[in-house]
Amino acid sequence: MKRRSTVLRRAVEAGLIAALTVAALPTAAQALNVERTWNGTNNPLKVSGYGSTGHAWGTWKVGNTSNGTRSSVNS
């Protein structure tokens, strides 16, 4: 069971990276302090592999902090 959850988590992470790459196409300057929503409960990002399927959705935001510009993802 542990191996299956690890594989599923990695598949979802790969899907998230792909989704964030598409979401990041506008320059960071245009996205600064704007929250972007990607997919949702009615239309989740679906990733399948190794006999498992993962679903994901969330928000992405770029903002300035005391440590510089940061990208934040909630999913």
Side-chain angles (χ1 to χ4, degrees):
M1 182 69 169
K2 185 175 182 179
R3 175 166 163 60
R4 183 177 201 152
S5 66
T6 300
V7 169
L8 180 59
R9 182 179 47 121
R10 287 184 180 163
V12 170
E13 288 172 350
L16 291 174
I17 290 169
L20 291 175
T21 300
V22 170
L25 289 176
T27 63
Q30 292 173 329
L32 191 62
N33 295 318
V34 176
E35 189 171 276
R36 307 276 185 196
T37 302
W38 53 277
N39 294 63
T41 56
N42 294 329
N43 183 27
L45 173 68
K46 184 177 177 181
V47 180
S48 298
Y50 301 98
S52 299
T53 301
H55 298 87
W57 58 90
T59 58
W60 172 65
K61 185 175 184 179
V62 175
N64 286 323
T65 69
S66 60
N67 294 321
T69 303
R70 297 288 187 243
S71 176
S72 173
V73 176
N74 295 312
S75 60

